Amino acid sequence: MKRRHRLSAILSSIRSNFSHLLLWPLVCLVFGVALWGTTFAKLQSEKSELQQQGFKDAASLANGYARQLNRNVQQIDQMTLQVQYDWLLSKGQLRLENLVKTGLFPSTTLLRVNIANRRGRLVTATIPITKTVMVNDREYFLFHKQNNSNVLRVGTPVVGRVLGTNIVQFSRRLNAPDGSFDGVVIVSAEIPYFLSFYESASLGKRGLLAVVGDDGHLRASGIGGSVRDFKPATRHVLQQLLAAPGPVKESSLDADKTSPFLVAGSHLKSYPLAAVVGLSEDEILEPYRKSSNTYKNFAIAGTAVLFLFALVSTLQSLRFIRIRHESEKARAMYGITLEGGSEGFLMWRAVYDGKKQIADFVIVDANERAAGIYGVGKEKLVGKRLSSFYEPTYFEKLMKTYRQAMEDGYYEDDYPVPPESPLKMVWLHRKMTRTSLGLALVLKDISEAKAYEQQLLHRANHDALTSLPNRQWLEEALPATLQRAAASEFGVAVLFIDLDGFKRVNDTLGHSAGDALLRAAAHRLQSVLRPTDCVVRFGGDEFVVVLEPVLRNTKPTRVADRIVEAFNPPLEIHAERQSVGVSIGIAVFPDDGGDSETLLRNADAAMYVVKSEGKNGYRFYQPQLGEDIKKRISSENALTEALEKKQFILFYQPQVNTATRELCGMEALVRWQHPDKGLIPPSEFIPLAEATGRIVALGTQVIEQACEQLALWRKQGIRLVPISVNVSAQQFNQNVVVHTIAACLERYDVAPELLEIEITESSMLAKHAEIESQLAELRKMRVKLAIDDFGTGYSSLSQLLRLQMDVLKIDQSFIAQLGNGSPGLVFVKSIISLAHSLNMTVIAEGVENDEQLRLLQDLSCDQIQGYLISRPVPAQEITAMLQKH
Ligand SMILES: Nc1nc2c(ncn2[C@@H]2O[C@H](COP(=O)(O)O[C@H]3[C@@H](O)[C@H](n4cnc5c(=O)[nH]c(N)nc54)O[C@@H]3COP(=O)(O)O)[C@@H](O)[C@H]2O)c(=O)[nH]1
């Protein structure tokens, strides 16, 4: 069905190109006809000339023959007259036998003389007569006997009675002296006698001679000098010929041969006879036949050349039609218009070598667009070979694809145009379809689309903030990296890096600072790595560094050290210095994982351990780390459970007047009353609560418990002092502090002045506007505000002024350094005087001994808090303290 369809398509293509297809054959036909026409005309002319010459020759020879015959018959006539005379003188006693010797008679045996007496008996002859021969019944005897005339009678051929041969008899009456009939003299001429005139030089090998009487009877005839008797019918023809005005062509004279004769006749001058000469047309036309063969051979050769030319041109036309058909088919297949389309179209014809292998391709058709792609004019493109465009190595590479397309019937791809290619594009989409000639190639410039695609790909694979490759890129690239390493003797190190302190900066200084920090961290990471090492932003504040290659069985400690050290100097974020560390977990391929997922998971686990061990450092993955992670997960779960089961309790640490030691307030410090492990200090769960965000729920519970405790003591009639609670920056970030405090104060009917909020110095630095508005609200509610751990951050005087804090708590690290002559003293002194100038109450934290107390007293510090007064104690114990006070 498919083949029939294809055939009908080709036939239709041939029909529509019929005129093109027939052009050269028709031209050749015209030339062929002209050639043969000229050849036949020339031959005909030659033949005609020869025939005319033949006719002339026949006529001339007939005249000559007639003259010769006339002379011969005249001799015979003379002979008979002489015999007639001698017979009369001898009174019938003449003996011819005797006269033979006199030479009166011709010596030839072809001509004999006889005398018959009045009774018709041969009585004497020029040859001896051995028997009695009677001729009295012969026509001539009867004629002469009855006619007393002296005429020479010419007889018709008969069989002679003396020798039995065919003869023509000439006879004359013999009279007795009285004039009566006395006999007949007879000259018998053998038929060959009449043909002795024959000369092959002038008559040819098959020349015809004949003698015809006026009575219409043939006397002698021969062809080629030999006697040939004609049939009665042909005798009639001879008569007609003689009646004709000139020579004629006659083919019926020779019964055996088909060749006609050019025949001419000539009447004898003195006798009732005519001479006939015929020249064989075959012989006359011999030269014509020879040149005819030459001419015909020339014409045949010319015809063969024309035929070959017509054949070749027809095949060429068919090929052209086929190419055009294939081109149109291919174009139709792709919906490509001949010109003006956006796609380049090329028809390649496969070129085969001696081994019938495809060795090259040649362009047989192309549109303007394709020419544009190749950067040449269309007319220069057609006929070009693929090999002419490329250097040998690249050509062979292309041939592989082209051969593949020929084998499979179809090939399609996006093709990055190499720099050495003549094609004026960056990317092309190639579609190749096998045709009966070779390949139909459609080219589309996709450079722009590819550029956009690559842009999108870059976007999809890169982090917009840091411009580093992202997690998606890593997940695709790392397996390939590992595959490469697996095939080599090298390893790959994966460093999972988490920024320490990012959360703080992000939560406290806001997202813009967080973004700046991430950019600065990315830059710092890159600055200590080789360009071949790969830095990836994995997500949030997590980075992954892939080191390839690394020596197997070695740990990339130097790189890890360099990274950690690189983060020692603070980063400059929005004109402020921020200390940020890095926690790095390292897993090395193949020892710590055979695939990217395992390596990343194990590096992450190692990093997690660094985090839980105090951050800012690195750890190599060890199988044991899995256990640590499990522990952490179980801790997280336990923390969640503890919050649900309200396992957190508050301890209280008193704050007293430095001078009088009177109880002024207390700080609520949370403890985890674990059912199995007992009391757990905050250092063991606050970082986890911060890291997991559970600090917000924990902070809410703390505020609630503090208010509840105040309400309880009030109920017990105990004089109340303010309780300060620690509030994490995350509680402010989630904007829950004001609401929680308002709700608890209301729920437990606690006076807001009894609640104090401690915010670390660093927390206050972030999100000024948001935190300040919440602090303003708390102030409005008359809740007191304290700056905790003062001296560890970078708060400025202007910040302190703006925030209008009530209390400043000097960090215990400064109090620990207090001593006579120590620089700490100067520092604490200036903090106190600064706070006092801002009308803030100063509380010194971590006071452990009397000397510190005395110095603080000297410095006019308002209150102290520390082990010197009391460790943080449960509510019952502080209740006693309150009661005493
Ligand atoms: N967000 C919240 N943070 C809280 C809460 N409860 C506690 N914390 C924070 O936990 C950190 C550790 O607290 P803790 O183990 O209770 O230690 C406190 C005191 O025990 C300790 N202290 C007090 N006096 C001395 C002393 O003389 N010597 C010494 N070595 N340590 C002493 O200081 C801690 C109180 O510090 P501060 O909060 O800065 O006043 C700690 O950072 C708490 O903030 C909570 O409910 N929410």
Side-chain angles (χ1 to χ4, degrees):
M1 192 71 185
K2 211 170 167 185
R3 183 181 279 182
R4 220 164 51 197
H5 178 73
R6 200 163 151 240
L7 189 69
S8 79
I10 291 172
L11 286 175
S12 134
S13 186
I14 289 174
R15 269 199 296 276
S16 56
N17 290 285
F18 208 59
S19 56
H20 189 86
L21 190 67
L22 284 184
L23 177 67
W24 286 111
L26 278 175
V27 169
C28 292
L29 186 68
V30 168
F31 273 103
V33 167
L35 177 68
W36 280 103
T38 312
T39 306
F40 279 123
K42 176 78 182 155
L43 287 173
Q44 199 53 44
S45 152
E46 271 191 28
K47 186 179 177 184
S48 177
E49 273 176 32
L50 287 170
Q51 276 176 334
Q52 291 308 316
Q53 190 58 45
F55 281 128
K56 279 184 194 167
D57 291 349
S60 161
L61 287 168
N63 288 336
Y65 188 30
R67 280 195 298 275
Q68 179 68 32
L69 272 179
N70 199 60
R71 276 196 298 276
N72 287 3
V73 176
Q74 267 179 345
Q75 279 180 0
I76 292 170
D77 197 4
Q78 284 297 323
M79 266 193 288
T80 56
L81 285 173
Q82 184 68 43
V83 170
Q84 185 189 47
Y85 178 73
D86 289 344
W87 180 267
L88 187 63
L89 285 181
S90 66
K91 296 181 180 160
Q93 295 306 308
L94 180 67
R95 285 295 172 263
L96 295 175
E97 293 85 352
N98 299 330
L99 289 178
V100 171
K101 295 169 191 160
T102 64
L104 179 69
F105 304 112
S107 58
T108 174
T109 53
L110 296 176
L111 205 65
R112 297 179 303 276
V113 184
N114 304 291
I115 293 175
N117 64 17
R118 68 173 67 91
R119 286 187 304 275
R121 181 177 167 225
L122 295 183
V123 289
T124 183
T126 52
I127 56 165
I129 300 168
T130 55
K131 58 180 180 183
T132 302
V133 179
M134 291 304 292
V135 295
N136 54 351
D137 54 341
R138 294 284 198 185
E139 277 185 27
Y140 63 83
F141 188 83
L142 293 173
F143 172 82
H144 289 301
K145 190 178 178 182
Q146 287 163 11
N147 293 295
N148 189 7
S149 130
N150 200 27
V151 65
L152 180 70
R153 185 176 184 275
V154 182
T156 55
V158 291
V159 176
R161 286 178 180 164
V162 178
L163 296 177
T165 55
N166 281 326
I167 52 173
V168 173
Q169 291 169 319
F170 298 84
S171 59
R172 179 165 264 144
R173 178 183 165 113
L174 295 176
N175 283 333
D178 58 359
S180 61
F181 178 71
D182 200 26
V184 178
V185 53
I186 308 137
V187 177
S188 298
E190 293 276 342
I191 298 299
Y193 173 79
F194 296 97
L195 305 179
S196 56
F197 174 76
Y198 193 89
E199 279 176 29
S200 57
S202 49
L203 286 163
K205 288 181 188 163
R206 292 194 65 253
L208 178 147
L209 287 178
V211 181
V212 185
D214 288 351
D215 53 9
H217 286 285
L218 186 69
R219 296 307 194 273
S221 60
I223 291 174
S226 303
V227 175
R228 176 80 56 92
D229 192 14
F230 297 158
K231 290 179 184 169
T234 56
R235 292 174 183 164
H236 171 68
V237 171
L238 281 175
Q239 259 186 318
Q240 282 182 342
L241 282 175
L242 290 171
V248 290
K249 181 169 148 181
E250 182 53 56
S251 55
S252 62
L253 291 175
D254 185 358
D256 300 338
K257 304 285 175 181
T258 51
S259 169
F261 290 95
L262 306 182
V263 187
S266 181
H267 202 274
L268 267 63
K269 193 177 164 189
S270 319
Y271 300 96
L273 292 172
V276 175
V277 172
L279 298 176
S280 166
E281 192 180 45
D282 268 1
E283 290 181 321
I284 286 170
L285 294 182
E286 188 62 31
Y288 155 79
R289 260 197 306 280
K290 278 182 185 162
S291 58
S292 164
N293 283 341
T294 311
Y295 282 124
K296 278 179 187 164
N297 285 342
F298 270 121
I300 286 168
T303 307
V305 168
L306 286 170
F307 177 76
L308 273 178
F309 182 77
L311 186 71
V312 169
S313 58
T314 305
L315 288 175
Q316 277 294 105
S317 299
L318 274 172
R319 210 173 119 240
F320 174 74
I321 290 168
R322 203 170 120 228
I323 288 169
R324 212 153 72 177
H325 171 74
E326 289 296 335
S327 298
E328 279 159 11
K329 203 172 81 183
R331 282 196 179 104
M333 192 184 295
Y334 295 112
I336 291 168
T337 52
L338 189 63
E339 300 300 350
S342 65
E343 293 180 328
F345 175 80
L346 293 132
M347 280 288 292
W348 291 100
R349 181 170 58 75
V351 179
Y352 294 85
D353 61 15
K355 293 174 194 162
K356 303 210 167 164
Q357 299 291 318
I358 300 174
D360 205 343
F361 285 88
V362 65
I363 297 172
V364 292
D365 191 13
N367 66 1
E368 286 294 349
R369 181 68 189 122
I373 289 172
Y374 274 81
V376 291
K378 186 179 155 185
E379 67 289 345
K380 284 192 183 160
L381 202 58
V382 173
K384 279 257 183 190
R385 284 187 171 223
L386 184 65
S387 55
S388 68
F389 291 112
Y390 303 96
E391 50 87 24
T393 322
Y394 193 73
F395 166 69
E396 261 319 307
K397 207 171 148 192
L398 267 184
M399 280 299 286
K400 263 187 193 169
T401 311
Y402 278 49
R403 283 193 195 108
Q404 191 65 47
M406 288 290 285
E407 218 172 293
D408 299 345
Y410 189 78
Y411 181 85
E412 190 172 5
D413 70 353
D414 288 348
Y415 165 65
V417 182
E420 63 267 31
S421 169
L423 307 191
K424 309 288 177 225
M425 309 287 144
V426 181
W427 274 92
L428 280 171
H429 182 76
R430 297 186 296 192
K431 269 192 282 189
M432 295 185 210
T433 309
R434 187 179 52 217
T435 66
S436 54
L437 298 172
L439 286 172
L441 171 65
V442 177
L443 296 174
K444 189 174 184 182
D445 180 9
I446 54 164
S447 306
E448 271 185 35
K450 272 286 170 189
Y452 182 63
E453 188 183 304
Q454 278 174 347
Q455 205 180 332
L456 288 181
L457 196 68
H458 186 271
R459 271 190 217 163
N461 283 314
H462 285 76
D463 170 46
L465 183 68
T466 58
S467 297
L468 291 176
N470 62 13
R471 180 177 187 161
Q472 185 179 319
W473 177 87
L474 182 71
E475 281 168 357
E476 281 176 20
L478 190 53
T481 307
L482 300 183
Q483 221 171 359
R484 268 199 308 276
S488 74
E489 57 193 22
F490 293 102
V492 176
V494 175
L495 284 70
F496 204 105
I497 302 170
D498 189 280
L499 297 180
D500 302 329
F502 167 76
K503 201 164 182 55
R504 174 177 49 76
V505 174
N506 198 46
D507 291 345
T508 55
L509 299 181
H511 292 308
S512 143
D515 288 351
L517 174 64
L518 289 169
R519 274 196 292 269
H523 181 70
R524 196 159 282 190
L525 273 173
Q526 285 175 305
S527 71
V528 293
L529 293 167
R530 294 172 301 185
T532 49
D533 297 332
C534 184
V535 185
V536 176
R537 182 171 175 214
F538 200 67
D541 60 347
E542 293 170 337
F543 294 83
V544 169
V545 170
V546 179
L547 305 177
E548 182 209 10
V550 294
L551 287 174
R552 288 195 183 179
N553 305 319
T554 59
K555 304 281 184 194
T557 48
R558 284 180 59 192
V559 179
D561 282 331
R562 268 208 318 271
I563 295 174
V564 173
E565 281 164 22
F567 281 83
N568 283 343
L571 295 168
E572 182 116 349
I573 307 298
H574 290 174
E576 287 177 20
R577 290 157 65 83
Q578 296 290 341
S579 285
V580 174
V582 281
S583 297
I584 307 171
I586 305 166
V588 181
F589 172 85
D591 299 343
D592 302 333
D595 58 83
S596 54
E597 203 180 316
T598 311
L599 279 171
L600 283 166
R601 194 177 55 241
N602 290 344
D604 185 26
M607 182 278 292
Y608 196 85
V609 174
V610 178
K611 280 269 182 213
S612 59
E613 284 179 348
K615 305 181 179 175
N616 203 32
Y618 61 86
R619 278 284 293 267
F620 287 94
Y621 172 77
Q622 289 170 326
Q624 173 58 31
L625 290 182
E627 292 305 311
D628 299 340
I629 305 296
K630 277 185 201 158
K631 263 191 214 164
R632 179 180 159 128
I633 291 167
S634 105
S635 298
E636 281 182 28
N637 293 339
L639 191 63
T640 308
E641 194 182 337
L643 281 166
E644 284 167 6
K645 293 187 175 171
K646 303 250 167 58
Q647 291 174 353
F648 295 101
I649 57 166
L650 291 184
F651 272 40
Y652 297 92
Q653 188 173 33
Q655 295 163 339
V656 299
N657 185 293
T658 314
T660 62
R661 294 210 184 187
E662 187 188 352
L663 186 67
C664 306
M666 60 185 82
E667 180 180 359
L669 292 158
V670 72
R671 304 291 185 260
W672 180 357
Q673 186 64 67
H674 196 280
D676 307 320
K677 297 176 184 167
L679 208 59
I680 299 174
S683 56
E684 288 183 28
F685 60 86
I686 289 286
L688 187 63
E690 286 275 4
T692 56
R694 290 182 181 84
I695 192 71
V696 177
L698 181 60
T700 303
Q701 283 192 15
V702 168
I703 293 169
E704 175 142 17
Q705 278 191 43
C707 291
E708 189 180 9
Q709 188 61 58
L710 284 166
L712 184 66
W713 282 329
R714 189 187 57 215
K715 201 176 165 186
Q716 291 172 353
I718 297 171
R719 191 170 72 89
L720 301 175
V721 289
I723 297 179
S724 64
V725 292
N726 291 284
V727 174
S728 159
Q730 287 192 57
Q731 288 171 269
F732 279 105
N733 290 343
Q734 294 197 9
N735 213 356
V736 295
V737 181
V738 175
H739 173 75
T740 307
I741 290 176
C744 290
L745 291 176
E746 191 185 345
R747 189 177 314 135
Y748 296 104
D749 190 23
V750 171
E753 295 83 357
L754 290 174
L755 197 64
E756 198 171 280
I757 298 301
E758 286 189 22
I759 315 160
T760 58
E761 191 185 9
S762 54
S763 305
M764 290 192 314
L765 298 177
K767 295 192 179 177
H768 294 156
E770 287 169 39
I771 289 186
E772 277 177 38
S773 69
Q774 291 175 54
L775 292 175
E777 276 200 57
L778 290 171
R779 250 194 321 276
K780 246 194 249 167
M781 289 163 59
R782 287 179 282 115
V783 173
K784 281 202 178 144
L785 305 173
I787 299 175
D788 197 10
D789 301 340
F790 189 82
T792 54
Y794 297 91
S795 46
S796 63
L797 183 61
S798 61
Q799 274 176 319
L800 291 175
L801 268 171
R802 196 173 61 246
L803 294 172
Q804 297 175 32
M805 305 298 281
D806 301 294
V807 179
L808 185 150
K809 293 182 78 174
I810 302 171
D811 189 73
Q812 53 181 279
S813 58
F814 298 107
I815 304 303
Q817 292 171 29
L818 273 183
N820 273 330
S822 75
L825 184 67
V826 182
F827 185 70
V828 172
K829 187 179 174 184
S830 44
I831 292 173
I832 292 169
S833 79
L834 173 72
H836 283 168
S837 67
L838 295 171
N839 286 325
M840 294 172 80
T841 303
V842 180
I843 302 177
E845 285 190 281
V847 180
E848 291 184 347
N849 56 51
D850 290 326
E851 193 191 355
Q852 288 166 345
L853 172 62
R854 188 178 55 76
L855 286 169
L856 288 166
Q857 282 169 341
D858 291 348
L859 294 172
S860 303
C861 180
D862 302 303
Q863 294 175 21
I864 58 164
Q865 179 185 342
Y867 292 169
L868 180 68
I869 308 300
S870 168
R871 285 176 175 270
V873 293
Q876 300 89 318
E877 284 189 38
I878 205 79
T879 305
M881 237 184 266
L882 280 168
Q883 281 167 343
K884 273 192 223 158
H885 139 88

